[in-house]
């Protein structure tokens, strides 16, 4: 079948106001992680209204909409939980109003990432309207929960408990017109330091956990910022871009960027303000590039000079997530979110690039972010996310091929006065609608099956 791209574009444009209204409705329903019930039910309502073949909400609270009857599943994922609004004084409009002006929709969740859900639902409707779902394909549109709390947990549940293994997954996280083929992983590390309290008037009688932890924090700073020269005692994380230290993955690491580590929280215990602290703990946000594993990252902290110096008093561990979903289900996991990356010519990446060029040529079609526009001249730019997405589980844990294309801009994520562009909704809906036929035309037989999915 030869795709009529002009009809796809016409249909997407025709649903512009429906998508804008749907997004504004979602923004108007506060949906922080683990509190998504209202917006999940609103999405299910929209899916049923536009004619999905089947709509269901799984025990974790994810909403799944199905189109088609084939065995080959192509999934489009949108997490529909949001972060909070922060200081309300930083907002020019009500963050839960879904205010629209001059082609821009403002409000929490517009870019990150309920806009992706609006485009995905109507992209699937266009597929059905125009007969764009191949006979051997089934389309799955997923509104996932808890991503802001624990990215990828939803797909651990969908893959392992719902038993769903797509041939590939499109993430609708914001890409500002780029097609994204990977991003760094991350993990949440805790370092605990033991001390002995005593009266603050004679601190030498005790062992101050805060003072000892200060040395660890300095070493962590050096790990993040140092170079990797031979005479550098604490070699910086930049070493993973060097074939000497990362011979098998340095090229992918150079594309994704070096890992980072920063202290994100600090805790202590002390009998009083007039006593030496008897414990101190810190949380570390660790971003991982290609070639780094959770084991290597923990060991790297344990081997820091200060941790070695206070080895009997230091414990380095990984956080564990156990917060219940809005349904009450508690689905636990370790706070490890693996790195993932694809080659630019991978079949599912190439399908999106081919569909983009067929629909839009090489013009930039999305957003109005000046920094992004100056960075991305010519379409489609195949790039990467700076932040983390549900793909840490889809591809990072289970090797299910993933790729990103979504409305909005990364710069809007978690920011006050968050916005997305109505034109982006149209652009993304059109591209999503063109994906199945474009992909299957070049890949008539499955290139990935459930048997290929591996568990970390």
């Amino acid at each position: 079948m030869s795709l009529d791209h002009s009809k796809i574009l016409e249909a997407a444009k025709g649903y512009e106001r429906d998508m804008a209204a749907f997004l504004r409705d979602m923004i108007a329903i506060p949906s922080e992680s683990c509190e998504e019930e209202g917006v999940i039910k609103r999405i299910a309502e929209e899916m049923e209204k536009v004619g999905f073949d089947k709509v269901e909400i799984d025990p974790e609270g994810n909403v799944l909409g199905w189109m088609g009857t084939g065995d080959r599943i192509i999934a489009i994922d949108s997490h529909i939980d949001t972060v909070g609004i922060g200081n309300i004084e930083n907002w020019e409009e009500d963050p839960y109003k879904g205010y629209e002006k001059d082609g821009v929709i403002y409000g929490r969740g517009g870019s990150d990432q309920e806009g992706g859900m609006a485009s995905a639902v109507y992209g699937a409707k266009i597929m059905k309207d125009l007969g764009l779902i191949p006979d051997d394909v089934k389309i799955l549109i997923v509104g996932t929960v808890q991503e802001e709390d624990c990215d990828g947990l939803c797909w651990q549940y969908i893959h392992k408990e719902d038993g769903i293994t797509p041939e590939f997954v499109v993430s609708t996280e914001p890409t500002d017109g780029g097609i994204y083929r990977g991003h760094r992983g991350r993990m949440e590390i805790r370092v605990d330091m033991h001390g002995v309290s005593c009266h603050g008037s004679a601190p030498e009688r005790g062992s101050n956990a805060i003072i000892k932890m200060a040395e660890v924090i300095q070493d962590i700073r050096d790990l993040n910022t140092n170079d990797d020269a031979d005479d550098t005692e604490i070699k910086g994380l930049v070493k993973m871009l060097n074939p000497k230290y990362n011979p098998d993955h340095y090229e992918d690491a150079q594309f994704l960027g070096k890992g980072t580590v920063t202290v994100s929280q600090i805790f202590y215990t002390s009998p009083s303000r007039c006593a030496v602290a008897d414990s101190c703990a810190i949380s570390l946000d660790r971003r991982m590039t290609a070639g780094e594993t959770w084991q290597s990252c923990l060991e790297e902290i344990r081997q820091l000079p200060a941790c070695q110096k206070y080895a009997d008093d230091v414990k380095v561990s990984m956080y564990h997530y156990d917060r219940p979903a809005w349904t009450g289900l508690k689905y636990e996991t370790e706070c490890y979110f693996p790195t993932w990356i694809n080659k630019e010519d991978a079949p599912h990446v190439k399908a999106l690039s081919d569909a983009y060029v067929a629909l839009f040529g090489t013009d930039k079609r999305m957003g109005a972010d000046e920094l992004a526009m100056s960075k991305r001249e010519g379409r489609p730019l195949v790039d990467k996310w700076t932040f983390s997405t549900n793909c840490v589980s889809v591809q990072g844990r289970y090797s299910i091929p993933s790729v990103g294309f979504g409305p909005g801009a990364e710069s809007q994520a978690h920011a006050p006065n968050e916005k997305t562009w109505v034109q982006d909704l149209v652009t993304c809906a059109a591209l999503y609608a063109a994906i199945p036929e474009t992909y299957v035309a070049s890949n008539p037989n499955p290139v990935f099956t459930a048997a290929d999915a591996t568990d970390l």
Side-chain angles (χ1 to χ4, degrees), residues 225-263:
T225 60
N226 279 1
D227 60 29
D228 62 353
D230 290 342
D231 59 353
T232 301
E233 180 184 10
I234 300 175
K235 291 180 172 52
L237 296 177
V238 70
K239 65 181 179 288
M240 298 305 287
L241 309 186
N242 187 335
K244 176 180 178 180
Y245 296 105
N246 192 16
D248 296 329
H249 302 285
Y250 74 92
E251 290 180 319
D252 286 340
Q254 289 174 353
F255 171 73
L256 294 174
K258 80 176 189 73
T260 58
V261 61
T262 190
V263 178

Side-chain angles (χ1 to χ4, degrees), residues 242-443:
N242 187 335
K244 176 180 178 180
Y245 296 105
N246 192 16
D248 296 329
H249 302 285
Y250 74 92
E251 290 180 319
D252 286 340
Q254 289 174 353
F255 171 73
L256 294 174
K258 80 176 189 73
T260 58
V261 61
T262 190
V263 178
S264 56
Q265 293 177 318
I266 188 164
F267 318 95
Y268 73 93
T269 61
S270 175
S272 78
R273 290 199 298 271
C274 301
V276 164
D278 54 15
S279 79
C280 187
I282 56 174
S283 301
L284 304 180
D285 180 294
R286 178 65 160 89
R287 304 287 158 155
M288 303 174 297
T289 194
E292 296 178 317
T293 66
W294 68 265
Q295 296 97 328
S296 70
C297 292
L298 291 178
E299 189 61 24
E300 197 169 46
I301 300 299
R302 292 179 181 129
Q303 292 303 316
L304 291 173
C307 288
Q308 290 290 296
K309 178 180 177 180
Y310 300 114
D312 292 341
D313 293 329
V314 173
K315 177 184 177 183
V316 180
S317 60
M318 181 161 44
Y319 276 97
H320 193 79
Y321 184 81
D322 62 358
R323 189 178 174 197
W326 70 263
T327 59
L329 177 77
K330 185 184 288 187
Y331 196 66
E332 301 182 24
T333 191
E334 63 279 357
C335 293
Y336 169 58
F337 312 94
T339 306
W340 64 282
I341 188 171
N342 298 281
K343 298 300 182 186
E344 192 164 344
D345 61 355
H348 61 300
V349 178
K350 191 172 185 301
L352 265 68
S353 296
D354 290 347
Y356 188 104
V357 172
L359 286 163
F360 312 117
T362 57
D363 294 334
K364 178 176 172 59
R365 296 282 299 184
M366 292 169 62
D369 186 293
E370 291 184 6
L371 177 61
M373 290 182 74
S374 66
K375 177 184 175 185
R376 302 185 175 118
E377 294 178 359
R379 300 286 97 189
L381 179 76
V382 179
D383 205 347
K384 60 190 179 293
W385 280 290
T386 300
F387 57 41
S388 184
T389 73
N390 279 332
C391 299
V392 295
S393 286
V394 182
Q395 185 164 340
R397 283 181 178 269
Y398 306 126
S399 303
I400 299 168
S402 302
V403 61
F405 186 79
E410 274 192 85
S411 63
Q412 295 302 310
H414 303 188
N417 305 304
E418 181 179 353
K419 61 186 176 183
T420 196
W421 294 267
V422 174
Q423 176 58 49
D424 286 15
L425 306 179
V426 175
T427 297
C428 289
L431 187 130
Y432 299 153
I435 287 172
E437 283 284 359
T438 305
Y439 175 77
V440 170
S442 299
N443 304 280

Side-chain angles (χ1 to χ4, degrees), residues 66-82:
W66 298 91
M67 289 275 204
T69 58
D71 294 327
R72 301 173 69 177
I73 300 172
I74 297 174
I76 303 178
D77 171 69
S78 306
H79 80 78
I80 51 71
D81 60 319
T82 74

Side-chain angles (χ1 to χ4, degrees), residues 22 26 29-31 35-47 55-58 60-64 78-81 114 117 142-146 326-327:
F22 180 32
M26 286 188 282
I29 304 170
S31 55
E35 299 174 2
E36 306 98 336
E37 180 177 6
V39 79
I40 285 289
K41 290 180 176 178
R42 176 65 185 85
I43 293 164
E45 175 188 307
E46 193 78 7
M47 287 178 166
V55 180
E56 55 188 328
I57 297 173
D58 73 9
E60 192 191 17
N62 305 297
V63 58
L64 295 84
S78 306
H79 80 78
I80 51 71
D81 60 319
E114 290 164 348
M117 174 52 67
V142 194
T144 43
V145 298
Q146 292 181 278
W326 70 263
T327 59

Side-chain angles (χ1 to χ4, degrees), residues 200-211:
S201 64
E204 68 277 3
R205 295 173 185 165
S207 176
N208 195 315
I210 293 176
I211 296 295

Side-chain angles (χ1 to χ4, degrees), residues 159 165 397-400 448-455:
H159 175 61
T165 304
R397 283 181 178 269
Y398 306 126
S399 303
I400 299 168
F448 176 88
T449 66
D452 298 317
T454 56
D455 210 340

